[in-house]
Amino acid sequence: MLIDVITQAVRAHGDAPAVADRQSSLSYRELDAASDRRSADVRRLLPGRERPRVGIQAGNSVAYVVTYLAVLKAGCVPFLVDRASGAQETRVIQEDCGLDLLVHEESTPVPEHGSRCGVLRTGPLHTTRFAVRHDRPDLHDETEVCRFTSGSTGRPNCIEFRGRAVHRAAANWADGTGLSGGDGILCFASLSNGLAFNTSLLSAFLVGARLHLGSGLPTAGAVSRMLRGSAATRLVGFPALYESLVRRPLSAEALPDLRTAISSAAPLNPATRQQFVDRTGVPLQNYFGIAEAGPLTFARNPLTDPGLGQPLPGVELRAGGDGEPGVVEVRSESMGTRYLNAPKAFESRVGADGFYRTSDIGCLSNGSLVLTGRTSQVINIGGRKIDAVEVSEALAGAPGVRDAIVLEVADRHGTSALAAVLAADPDLDPAGPRRHLARRLAPYKIPSLVRIVAEIPRSSSGKPATAALRRMFDDSENVQ
């Protein structure tokens, strides 16, 4: 049982500082007591329900961590939902997974078939209880945590994890990266995202490290102040955080305790990485993991590593052969079991030998994983995974739009951006389709660049003419 592992770890560290945000902090002893109290509240809300399903959709906070532990202690299965999910996405998750409760912030768009109940009020968090759904899919017998990833059908895939897989992800990360009780982690990535969930939550508790949670826009000033105030030795965030930091004066003297910086596997501009290292002397490590298999690599020496690092303990990788790139395949102790809401889709990517076929193309160079491309239509913008099919289909349903294609391009700064080409009349205002998306999808799924054409250019087989589409954004300053 995952909660047994967590409780044992938490109780081993007594009065040492455990978790803090900008407003509050708890020692390990206080975290254990607070989660005990909240678990009783959860149980009172769900009388008679078997293995209740509790969604948590909120920003990083002490209250989030207390709620996560409380849900596990109450014998429930937590479903970690991206805070940025829009109303339609939250509704789809409720329909597909049959949540019993959703713990959320007051501003979260909640599906209509719920009744608000204020029993589990923890700081900024509220609770909505849903009617019992008898047609929901059955959980795997050993599932203890569920997380989400973009699905190829335009619906978020719900990944089921055994407790052992969650534990091994955290333990192998701590072991493989040298995390210890003397470390302090400042994490700006959302705890629902693998970058944070695998590197900064249970891994910190296993060794007795301090977890400091950043929230809101990670401006250079906010990050610098929190680094100094927390004496953090590790910084975890998406590429945009580091791009913000290097745009202002930055030096090693300003960050006296920082020893390691970790970014997501989203492409980090090499110039940004080099500027950060030159100014601070702190290695900036690209984290590589996938939602279905957990953390996978870490560079022993990120200053000289040619790629994303070597396999972590409990991880096996293979990619390409004879010097040629190929599909990256992975087998790990932290692998998920299946998708709750997409039968056989997960299993279809796992071979007879237990290796999961990812959507990445790459090769191994002196033991380090070097990625060279992707095989799917999932786009990675600043660490956020975006299903191009989902956004295209939503745009095609906007008034005045006949067809739509979504793709990744470089903006005028050379940074990856989400772009859309819309087949519509030339006088269509792009603000209309954007408002249409905003009512349905998360803000990060709204294209920042839009081009309107009479018809989408396609090949004779009907496939979008990718090269022609990308050329439309060569001069992004003139794109709406």
Side-chain angles (χ1 to χ4, degrees), residues 111-182:
E112 295 178 358
H113 49 289
S115 58
R116 188 66 56 89
C117 38
V119 179
L120 192 67
R121 180 70 185 270
T122 307
L125 303 186
H126 298 251
T127 301
T128 293
R129 179 169 51 200
F130 300 108
V132 177
R133 293 195 56 171
H134 300 290
D135 59 343
R136 65 185 184 181
D138 293 330
L139 287 166
H140 189 281
D141 289 343
E142 299 179 31
T143 294
E144 294 190 51
V145 175
C146 290
R147 294 178 48 238
F148 294 88
T149 187
S150 295
S152 59
T153 62
R155 303 173 79 88
N157 283 341
C158 177
I159 313 169
E160 298 185 61
F161 288 95
R162 294 180 173 91
R164 183 181 185 280
V166 176
H167 177 211
R168 294 318 307 166
N172 290 338
W173 174 262
D175 181 24
T177 66
L179 182 68
S180 73

Side-chain angles (χ1 to χ4, degrees), residues 41-240:
D41 294 336
V42 173
R43 283 191 290 268
R44 282 196 293 270
L45 287 172
L46 299 166
R49 299 199 189 187
E50 184 179 358
R51 296 180 74 197
R53 306 174 189 189
V54 180
I56 305 175
Q57 184 178 9
N60 288 359
S61 68
V62 169
Y64 187 111
V65 177
V66 169
T67 299
Y68 174 64
L69 268 61
V71 169
L72 290 169
K73 286 183 174 183
C76 306
V77 177
F79 286 66
L80 307 187
V81 183
D82 191 338
R83 178 198 190 192
S85 294
Q88 176 173 300
E89 292 158 307
T90 305
R91 177 182 58 78
V92 165
I93 288 171
Q94 165 57 13
E95 290 176 352
D96 282 1
C97 302
L99 301 181
D100 293 293
L101 290 181
L102 182 67
V103 182
H104 56 89
E105 296 169 348
E106 188 171 18
S107 60
T108 299
V110 177
E112 295 178 358
H113 49 289
S115 58
R116 188 66 56 89
C117 38
V119 179
L120 192 67
R121 180 70 185 270
T122 307
L125 303 186
H126 298 251
T127 301
T128 293
R129 179 169 51 200
F130 300 108
V132 177
R133 293 195 56 171
H134 300 290
D135 59 343
R136 65 185 184 181
D138 293 330
L139 287 166
H140 189 281
D141 289 343
E142 299 179 31
T143 294
E144 294 190 51
V145 175
C146 290
R147 294 178 48 238
F148 294 88
T149 187
S150 295
S152 59
T153 62
R155 303 173 79 88
N157 283 341
C158 177
I159 313 169
E160 298 185 61
F161 288 95
R162 294 180 173 91
R164 183 181 185 280
V166 176
H167 177 211
R168 294 318 307 166
N172 290 338
W173 174 262
D175 181 24
T177 66
L179 182 68
S180 73
D183 280 308
I185 304 168
L186 175 55
C187 179
F188 275 88
S190 170
L191 289 173
S192 65
N193 185 280
L195 174 62
F197 183 77
N198 292 319
T199 71
S200 306
L201 190 54
L202 177 52
S203 57
F205 299 159
L206 289 178
V207 301
R210 310 179 314 277
L211 176 57
H212 303 270
L213 297 171
S215 60
L217 187 66
T219 62
V223 175
S224 298
R225 285 191 297 273
M226 286 199 72
L227 279 170
R228 290 192 296 270
S230 65
T233 60
R234 291 192 177 195
L235 175 61
V236 177
F238 294 119

Side-chain angles (χ1 to χ4, degrees), residues 240-265:
L241 179 150
Y242 298 101
E243 291 163 4
S244 175
L245 281 176
V246 300
R247 282 197 289 266
R248 60 175 288 168
L250 186 66
S251 66
E253 291 74 21
L255 312 173
D257 301 289
L258 191 64
R259 296 199 298 269
T260 302
I262 301 166
S263 178
S264 75

Side-chain angles (χ1 to χ4, degrees), residues 5 12 27 34 121 141 147 151 153 161 200 230 235 277 283 292 343-344 368-369 374 399 438 457 466:
V5 171
S27 69
R121 180 70 185 270
D141 289 343
R147 294 178 48 238
T153 62
F161 288 95
S200 306
S230 65
L235 175 61
V277 174
E292 291 84 354
K344 305 301 181 183
S368 179
L369 178 64
R374 298 274 297 173
T466 305

Side-chain angles (χ1 to χ4, degrees), residues 237-315:
F238 294 119
L241 179 150
Y242 298 101
E243 291 163 4
S244 175
L245 281 176
V246 300
R247 282 197 289 266
R248 60 175 288 168
L250 186 66
S251 66
E253 291 74 21
L255 312 173
D257 301 289
L258 191 64
R259 296 199 298 269
T260 302
I262 301 166
S263 178
S264 75
L268 178 66
N269 189 311
T272 299
R273 180 178 181 177
Q274 194 60 51
Q275 287 179 58
F276 182 87
V277 174
D278 289 345
R279 295 183 191 179
T280 66
V282 175
L284 178 48
Q285 166 71 64
N286 262 318
Y287 165 93
F288 177 68
I290 59 173
E292 291 84 354
L296 299 176
T297 69
F298 189 81
R300 298 184 185 94
N301 187 345
L303 296 179
T304 60
D305 194 280
L308 297 173
Q310 298 75 36
L312 288 163
V315 173

